[in-house]
Amino acid sequence: AQKVTQAQTEISVVEKEDVTLDCVYETRDTTYYLFWYKQPPSGELVFLIRRNSFDEQNEISGRYSWNFQKSTSSFNFTITASQVVDSAVYFCALSEFSQFYFGTGTSLTVIP
Amino acid sequence: KAGVTQTPRYLIKTRGQQVTLSCSPISGHRSVSWYQQTPGQGLQFLFEYFSETQRNKGNFPGRFSGRQFSNSRSEMNVSTLELGDSALYLCASSLARPGVETQYFGPGTRLLVL
């Protein structure tokens, strides 16, 4: 079974639209960490956010916001007023017991 | 602070050859992890090194090996290359505990096996 599920394989939005990327995880650990990474066409994974299992506060950073809900095992990522530069593949990841598990990624295309 | 660097960036090899990839972590980071990324399998964990010791290993055949030097630089080696080894190989570093701390990734090495 997948530890991290990103059900949306590809999403296309028109510039300035808001978009939410879904992430559902599965773990039996009580202490775990969740991450989002962005992978532009250049290939390098860029760290966006890290959240531990005890901190359910939502976070906003500029146009980015994250909604962590333990009750539904979800850690969703919203981009507000999307821009062409947001076009990339976004990965959600879970770390438990010192192992990292990545989702299969969501490819976001922002159309000008 | 310089980021994670990987060399070479691109490689073309033929089946049966072997290849060595190099990774220099962020200064002060002692943990180095390696991942294989392919369109079909996504990002898969290969192994993690800390203080010159392999601490965790993913589910890959013994043809995939690695090592870490005293300066935390790491190399991974793939022997007897197969077509399916064509992938982007990513290295990531963290201070000491990749499961707890953030991992920072390098630009990757794109390996093409012909």
Side-chain angles (χ1 to χ4, degrees), chain B residues 11-104:
Chain B
L11 264 179
I12 300 176
K13 293 284 188 180
T14 55
R15 275 182 301 175
Q17 286 186 309
Q18 77 164 23
V19 66
T20 299
L21 312 182
S22 180
C23 171
S24 292
I26 291 171
S27 177
H29 286 193
R30 295 167 63 194
S31 168
V32 174
S33 298
W34 289 90
Y35 293 84
Q36 181 195 65
Q37 186 178 23
T38 59
Q41 300 295 321
L43 270 158
Q44 293 187 288
F45 171 73
L46 280 155
F47 28 65
E48 185 241 343
Y49 285 86
F50 177 79
S51 289
E52 302 177 65
T53 301
Q54 187 181 89
R55 201 160 54 171
N56 276 302
K57 188 177 191 305
N59 189 24
F60 276 81
R63 300 186 297 107
F64 292 82
S65 63
R67 59 178 175 167
Q68 186 180 35
F69 303 94
S70 58
N71 61 359
S72 294
R73 190 176 70 84
S74 176
E75 288 181 348
M76 69 162 278
N77 183 276
V78 187
S79 62
T80 319
L81 283 166
E82 300 176 0
L83 295 179
D85 297 333
S86 295
L88 177 65
Y89 290 88
L90 292 162
C91 166
S93 77
S94 62
L95 281 168
R97 298 180 296 168
V100 174
E101 302 147 358
T102 299
Q103 289 188 105
Y104 294 92

Side-chain angles (χ1 to χ4, degrees), chain A residues 25 30 32 52-56 68-74:
Chain A
Y25 62 92
T30 54
Y32 54 90
N52 73 52
S53 54
F54 299 107
D55 182 3
E56 279 195 79
F68 176 29
Q69 291 193 330
K70 285 176 75 171
S71 60
T72 55
S73 296
S74 65

Side-chain angles (χ1 to χ4, degrees), chain A residues 15-54:
Chain A
E15 201 171 21
K16 297 184 183 174
E17 285 185 347
D18 298 348
V19 57
T20 295
L21 310 183
D22 298 332
C23 173
V24 175
Y25 62 92
E26 179 186 326
T27 180
R28 280 182 266 182
D29 202 358
T30 54
T31 303
Y32 54 90
Y33 297 81
L34 295 164
F35 301 80
W36 274 95
Y37 286 87
K38 172 183 179 180
Q39 187 176 41
S42 60
E44 182 171 345
L45 277 157
V46 177
F47 165 73
L48 295 176
I49 190 170
R50 166 177 167 266
R51 173 69 78 231
N52 73 52
S53 54
F54 299 107

